């Protein structure tokens, strides 16, 4: 404020008049441009408020001063004579302060305008410097004396009254500001208290955090030591829920394996050298969970065994998809409840025994509907062919040659052929030899036996040993094997088809080799039983052929030569005897070629060789008896030799391409006979 007033005056020069004299007041200095007023001033408030009021008042009353003179005017020009009706400002100040001030003014007698200040008789000791330094206070005081020398502006009472309201409003505003500042102070104080509380809480949290970190480190150390031990005797809740409520699938099997592993660990910890007390706490829950798993496994296998009894069901599909896929379930059942495991196994054995017996019984009935060629005693080598051609004997069956092998050997050249389905066998209208139904029945039986044994070995092991598995297999297939033997016996018991029976023998041997390749030793009993049915019947039929030739020889001997020759077809059209090979030789050669073709493999010739030797001896005896009819001298002797040579040559020609040791022996024998009669 004082700087603004000084900025409007020019700097005094040497020629300017000296400053006017003014009297000093011991009271605190106030602005001298206040207009005289008789109004009562508001009481003097606190120091801070009064100072603000004075400063604001001085600022607000600056507009009542006379207008500033143009820049550069002198101080003499600015000062005008004071009006006569204006109250002394010092009196007004005394009225405002409420006390009288002893003013001792020293008047200057200096004629050239220099004022000399005199020391007042009474010095005011309590001087309010208003927070200013002595230098600034003195400077301001000098400036005020300069301003006091200036006459106050003329103001009316009404103007002061108008300004009074402004000052009162200002005072009220200041009081309101004080209240606001007090509330702010209160808020800051409470904030300081809250901040202190927060700081204390932070310190508490920090201490708790330190303690928690310490406990966490300790827990980590303990967990590192106890973690593996706890995991060994604990199980996941997910596994418990899966075992008790989950659907039986591969995930259920995985959960069951985890339960089994957990059970083994708990048993080892509870019975080992270092026993863990916690195992006694988990043992009851473990037993309950195992019992629940056993219950669900029992229900599962019972439902699958019931499914095997459904009509037209394929047991191998259920075995693959339901049993083998969940084989771990039976292993768990056998380990934790052996009695229940045996009961489930026995139920399966009884079901599969019924399954195979019923299905193969239907298959046997279907194969029995196949039409077969009838080969009886009239088809023997030495039988009377005129009686064989009788319609009453053969009926309406197609013609066939029971002594010729032909394409019947093709059944041995098909290593992987499938069994004939039952519905096709029932609808088959063709006529077959006995090896056809024998082959298809045994193929089906061996295939099913192989599949069942593989299933038993895969499903029940290692819970059950292989000897026990073999007994289970025998219990399942014993009725079916008995049915197969019954079917084979029915085929060959009334048949004189020697080649067909030998074919069945070779087929049975091939099935034995197949079982060896598949590593199914439990079916060897069935193979051996079938051989016991086939070999005796084969030898019996071979003896029947030999007996027929023997009867033919004896018949020829007991009759006249001419009648015998005519009966055996030895007479020529001109009435003489023919040297061409005999019909019986042709039949014998065809039959011999078939038997030798089925006996090529080493070791197969022993049962066949003995029967062939007897049959060959009977044929040689027959030819020799026939040859005697040609005579022993002259032309008859030559015809006799030619006749025998032609018969031996025919036999050698028919069996010439057959391999095997037995065929080689037969050729050597007939070559020797041919050389003995002088044949080339």
């Amino acid at each position: 404020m004082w700087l603004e007033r000084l900025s409007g005056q020019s700097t005094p020069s040497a020629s300017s008049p000296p400053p006017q004299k003014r009297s000093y007041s011991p009271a605190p200095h106030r602005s001298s441009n206040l207009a005289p007023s008789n109004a009562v001033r508001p009481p003097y408030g606190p120091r801070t408020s009064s100072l603000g009021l004075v400063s604001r008042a001085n600022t607000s009353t600056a507009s009542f001063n006379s207008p500033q003179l143009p820049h550069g005017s002198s101080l003499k020009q600015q000062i005008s004579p004071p009006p006569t009706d204006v109250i002394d400002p010092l009196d007004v100040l005394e009225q405002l302060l409420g006390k009288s001030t002893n003013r001792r003014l020293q008047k200057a007698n200096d004629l050239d305008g220099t004022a000399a200040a005199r020391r007042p008789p009474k010095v005011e000791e309590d001087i309010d410097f208003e927070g200013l330094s002595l230098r600034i206070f003195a400077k301001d005081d000098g400036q005020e004396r300069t301003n006091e020398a200036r006459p106050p502006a003329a103001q009316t009472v009404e103007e002061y009254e108008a300004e009074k309201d402004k000052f009162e409003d200002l005072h009220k505003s200041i009081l309101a500001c004080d209240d606001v500042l007090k509330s702010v102070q209160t808020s800051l104080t409470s904030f300081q208290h809250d901040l202190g509380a927060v700081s204390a809480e932070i310190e508490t949290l920090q201490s708790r955090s330190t303690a928690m970190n310490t406990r966490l480190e300790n827990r980590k150390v303990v967990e590192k030591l106890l973690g593996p031990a706890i995991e060994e005797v604990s199980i996941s809740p997910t596994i418990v829920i899966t075992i008790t409520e989950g659907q039986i699938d591969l995930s259920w099997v995985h959960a069951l394996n985890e339960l089994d592993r957990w059970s083994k660990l708990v048993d080892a910890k509870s019975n080992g050298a270092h026993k863990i007390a916690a195992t006694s706490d988990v043992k009851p829950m473990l037993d309950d969970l195992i019992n629940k798993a056993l219950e669900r496994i029992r229900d599962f296998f019972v439902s699958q065994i019931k499914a095997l009894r459904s009509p037209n069901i394929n047991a191998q599909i259920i075995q693959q998809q339901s049993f083998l896929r969940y084989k771990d379930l039976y292993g768990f059942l056998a380990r934790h409840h052996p009695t229940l495991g045996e009961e489930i196994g026995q139920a399966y054995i009884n079901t599969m025994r019924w399954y195979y017996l019923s299905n193969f019984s239907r298959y046997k009935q279907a194969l029995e509907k196949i039409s077969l060629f009838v080969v009886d005693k009239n088809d023997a080598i030495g039988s009377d062919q005129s009686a064989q051609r009788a319609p009453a004997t053969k009926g309406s069956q197609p013609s066939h040659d029971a002594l010729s092998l032909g394409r019947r050997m093709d059944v041995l050249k098909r290593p992987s052929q499938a069994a004939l389905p039952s519905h096709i066998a029932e609808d088959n209208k063709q006529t077959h030899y006995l090896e056809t139904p024998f082959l298809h029945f045994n193929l089906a039986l061996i295939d099913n036996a192989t599949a069942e044994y593989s299933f038993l070995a895969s499903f029940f092991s290692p819970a059950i040993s292989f000897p026990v598995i073999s007994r289970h297999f025998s219990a399942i297939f014993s009725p079916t094997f008995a049915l197969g033997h019954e079917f084979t016996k029915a085929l060959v018991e009334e048949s004189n088809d020697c080649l067909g029976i030998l074919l069945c023998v070779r087929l049975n041997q091939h099935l034995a080799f197949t079982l060896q390749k598949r590593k199914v030793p439990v079916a060897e009993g069935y193979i051996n039983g079938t051989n016991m049915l086939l070999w005796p019947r084969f030898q019996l039929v071979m003896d029947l052929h030999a007996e027929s030739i023997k009867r033919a020889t004896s018949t020829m001997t007991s009759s006249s030569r001419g009648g015998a020759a005519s009966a055996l077809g030895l007479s020529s059209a001109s009435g003489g005897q023919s040297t061409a090979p005999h019909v019986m030789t042709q039949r014998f050669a065809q039959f011999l070629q078939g038997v030798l073709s089925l006996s090529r493999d080493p070791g197969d010739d022993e049962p066949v060789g003995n029967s062939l030797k007897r049959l060959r001896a009977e044929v040689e005896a027959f030819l020799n008896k026939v040859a005697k009819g040609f005579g022993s001298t002259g032309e008859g002797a030559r015809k006799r030799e030619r006749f025998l040579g032609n018969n031996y040559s025919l036999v050698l020609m028919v069996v010439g391409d057959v391999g095997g040791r037995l065929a080689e022996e037969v050729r050597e024998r007939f070559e020797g006979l041919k050389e003995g009669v002088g044949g080339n």
Side-chain angles (χ1 to χ4, degrees):
M1 179 180 67
W2 300 109
L3 293 176
E4 292 177 358
R5 292 183 179 181
L6 290 175
S7 64
Q9 300 178 358
S10 60
T11 305
S13 59
S15 60
S16 61
Q20 297 181 355
K21 299 180 293 181
R22 74 178 185 87
S23 60
Y24 292 89
S25 173
H29 180 71
R30 296 294 183 269
S31 177
S32 61
N33 57 352
L34 293 175
S37 176
N38 296 327
V40 180
R41 304 296 295 178
Y44 190 75
R47 180 172 177 266
T48 55
S49 300
S50 62
L51 290 176
L53 180 60
V54 172
S55 62
R56 294 290 300 272
N58 292 336
T59 304
S60 62
T61 56
S63 62
F64 295 102
N65 297 332
S66 59
Q68 296 182 357
L69 296 177
H71 182 69
S73 61
S74 62
L75 183 59
K76 185 183 288 186
Q77 294 176 353
Q78 295 179 12
I79 301 174
S80 59
T84 58
D85 57 350
V86 175
I87 304 174
D88 190 4
L90 295 178
D91 296 334
V92 175
L93 182 59
E94 291 177 355
Q95 294 179 1
L96 292 174
L97 296 176
K99 61 181 179 177
S100 60
T101 305
N102 296 323
R103 294 174 295 135
R104 298 177 180 180
L105 302 177
Q106 300 294 333
K107 297 182 180 179
N109 296 325
D110 194 4
L111 298 176
D112 55 353
T114 302
R118 293 183 180 181
R119 181 177 178 83
K122 185 179 180 181
V123 180
E124 187 70 28
E125 296 179 358
D126 188 10
I127 300 176
D128 186 8
F129 288 92
E130 301 179 358
L132 302 176
S133 63
L134 183 59
R135 180 179 296 177
I136 297 175
F137 182 78
K139 183 178 179 181
D140 291 343
D141 187 65
Q143 185 67 33
E144 288 180 359
R145 287 196 299 270
T146 304
N147 292 336
E148 286 179 357
R150 300 171 63 183
Q155 293 183 352
T156 61
V157 178
E158 291 78 6
E159 291 177 350
Y160 279 101
E161 291 293 337
E163 293 295 329
K164 177 182 177 182
D165 296 336
K166 293 181 179 180
F167 286 119
E168 290 178 354
D169 295 339
L170 180 60
H171 182 66
K172 293 178 180 180
S173 299
I174 292 173
L175 293 177
C177 290
D178 290 341
D179 296 337
V180 172
L181 291 175
K182 289 180 180 179
S183 63
V184 171
Q185 182 180 6
T186 304
S187 299
L188 291 176
T189 303
S190 62
F191 176 73
Q192 184 177 6
H193 291 310
D194 295 341
L195 188 61
V198 171
S199 178
E201 188 174 355
I202 289 174
E203 292 179 357
T204 304
L205 292 176
Q206 186 176 4
S207 62
R208 291 177 60 187
S209 176
T210 304
M212 291 177 65
N213 288 333
T214 303
R215 289 197 299 268
L216 180 60
E217 294 297 330
N218 296 335
R219 181 172 296 180
K220 287 182 178 179
V221 174
V222 174
E223 183 180 358
K224 185 177 181 181
L225 297 175
L226 297 181
I230 294 175
E231 289 180 357
E232 288 180 356
V233 296
S234 61
I235 192 168
S236 173
T238 305
I239 295 178
V240 176
I241 295 175
T242 303
I243 292 295
T244 56
E245 301 177 1
Q247 183 180 4
I248 296 180
D249 51 11
L250 294 180
S251 61
W252 199 89
V253 175
H254 176 71
L256 186 68
N257 292 332
E258 290 295 324
L259 175 61
D260 193 19
R261 182 187 64 83
W262 181 43
S263 175
K264 293 178 180 178
L265 288 175
V266 171
D267 292 340
K269 295 296 180 181
S270 60
N271 300 326
H274 302 284
K275 296 183 179 180
I276 298 178
T279 55
S280 60
D281 297 334
V282 300
K283 192 68 174 177
M285 185 183 70
L286 175 62
D287 294 338
D288 294 340
L289 192 59
I290 290 177
N291 292 333
K292 182 63 177 179
L294 293 175
E295 179 183 353
R296 299 201 64 189
I297 292 173
R298 179 201 61 191
D299 296 340
F300 173 77
F301 282 128
V302 168
S303 63
Q304 299 304 320
I305 292 173
K306 288 182 179 179
L308 292 173
R309 291 184 173 270
S310 302
N312 301 324
I313 194 68
N314 190 342
Q316 294 182 3
I317 294 178
I318 297 179
Q319 288 175 348
Q320 295 294 329
Q321 297 182 357
S322 299
F323 284 90
L324 289 180
R325 191 177 184 183
Y326 303 108
K327 59 176 294 185
D328 294 338
L329 275 65
Y330 184 80
F332 183 87
L333 181 66
R335 285 190 297 272
H336 294 275
H337 203 305
T339 303
L340 183 58
E342 292 179 0
E343 292 176 356
I344 293 295
Q346 190 61 42
Y348 174 81
I349 291 172
N350 296 335
T351 300
M352 295 308 295
R353 181 192 298 119
W354 168 86
Y355 173 82
Y356 286 117
L357 182 60
S358 61
N359 282 278
F360 274 98
S361 296
R362 289 194 296 268
Y363 190 57
K364 173 178 171 292
Q365 294 175 1
L367 292 178
E368 288 175 348
K369 295 180 180 180
I370 295 178
S371 178
L372 299 178
F373 289 108
V374 177
V375 180
D376 52 15
K377 61 181 181 179
N378 295 323
D379 293 312
I381 297 176
S383 62
D384 188 0
Q385 298 299 311
S386 60
Q388 184 180 359
R389 298 189 192 96
T393 304
K394 291 293 182 179
S396 60
Q397 73 171 4
S399 60
H400 66 284
D401 189 357
L403 300 178
S404 176
L405 183 61
R407 299 185 62 182
R408 296 173 65 178
M409 193 177 177
D410 292 343
V411 296
L412 298 177
K413 299 178 181 179
R414 302 170 187 172
S416 58
Q417 53 183 335
L420 187 67
S422 58
H423 64 279
I424 296 179
E426 293 176 353
D427 298 336
N428 195 339
K429 304 301 181 182
Q430 297 180 357
T431 304
H432 301 272
Y433 289 98
L434 63 90
E435 66 268 12
T436 299
F438 174 86
L439 171 64
H440 291 293
F441 183 88
N442 285 276
L443 275 178
L445 183 58
I446 294 303
D447 289 342
N448 282 272
T450 302
E452 184 63 27
Y453 181 76
S454 300
F455 167 77
L456 293 175
S458 301
F459 182 75
F460 288 101
S461 65
I464 299 178
S465 62
F466 280 97
V468 177
I469 292 175
S470 299
R471 288 197 295 269
H472 288 350
F473 177 86
S474 299
I476 293 173
F477 269 91
S478 293
T480 307
F481 286 160
L483 180 68
H485 289 159
E486 180 183 348
F487 180 67
T488 302
K489 184 178 181 180
L491 288 175
V492 302
E493 187 176 18
E494 301 295 334
S495 176
N496 291 327
D497 188 1
C498 189
L499 294 178
I501 296 173
L502 187 57
L503 275 172
C504 291
V505 171
R506 301 308 179 208
L507 290 173
N508 193 51
Q509 291 174 349
H510 284 190
L511 293 176
F513 296 150
T514 302
L515 291 174
Q516 291 179 1
K517 292 179 181 179
R518 296 176 181 178
K519 297 180 180 180
V520 185
V522 291
E524 291 181 357
Y526 173 75
I527 297 297
N528 295 332
T530 303
N531 284 330
M532 294 299 293
L533 293 174
L534 294 176
W535 279 119
R537 185 62 188 175
F538 172 77
Q539 294 176 355
L540 184 61
V541 176
M542 289 289 288
D543 293 341
L544 180 63
H545 285 289
E547 289 293 333
S548 65
I549 298 175
K550 185 177 181 180
R551 284 196 302 269
T553 304
S554 62
T555 302
M556 180 192 65
T557 303
S558 60
S559 62
S560 62
R561 293 184 178 181
S566 177
L568 296 174
L570 299 177
S571 300
S572 62
S574 59
Q577 293 180 343
S578 173
T579 60
H582 196 274
V583 175
M584 186 179 295
T585 304
Q586 297 177 3
R587 292 166 61 82
F588 169 74
Q590 291 180 352
F591 179 76
L592 181 62
Q593 187 269 342
V595 174
L596 294 177
S597 297
L598 297 176
S599 305
R600 291 182 179 181
D601 298 331
D604 295 340
D605 52 349
E606 292 182 0
V608 180
N610 295 329
S611 299
L612 281 180
K613 288 179 181 179
R614 181 185 176 188
L615 182 64
R616 186 185 63 205
E618 294 295 338
V619 171
E620 292 176 2
F622 174 79
L623 292 177
N624 290 328
K625 292 294 182 179
V626 173
K628 289 181 180 180
F630 291 97
S632 57
T633 58
E635 185 67 22
R638 289 192 297 272
K639 286 184 177 181
R640 174 179 175 275
E641 294 177 354
R642 191 180 302 116
F643 171 76
L644 292 175
N646 290 336
N647 282 273
Y648 298 151
S649 298
L650 176 63
V651 173
L652 289 173
M653 182 182 65
V654 173
V655 301
D657 297 333
V658 181
R661 187 179 62 183
L662 186 59
E664 190 68 26
E665 292 179 358
V666 171
R667 282 195 293 270
E668 290 178 359
R669 173 63 180 173
F670 279 95
E671 286 177 357
L673 293 175
K674 182 180 178 182
E675 292 177 358
V677 296
N680 297 327

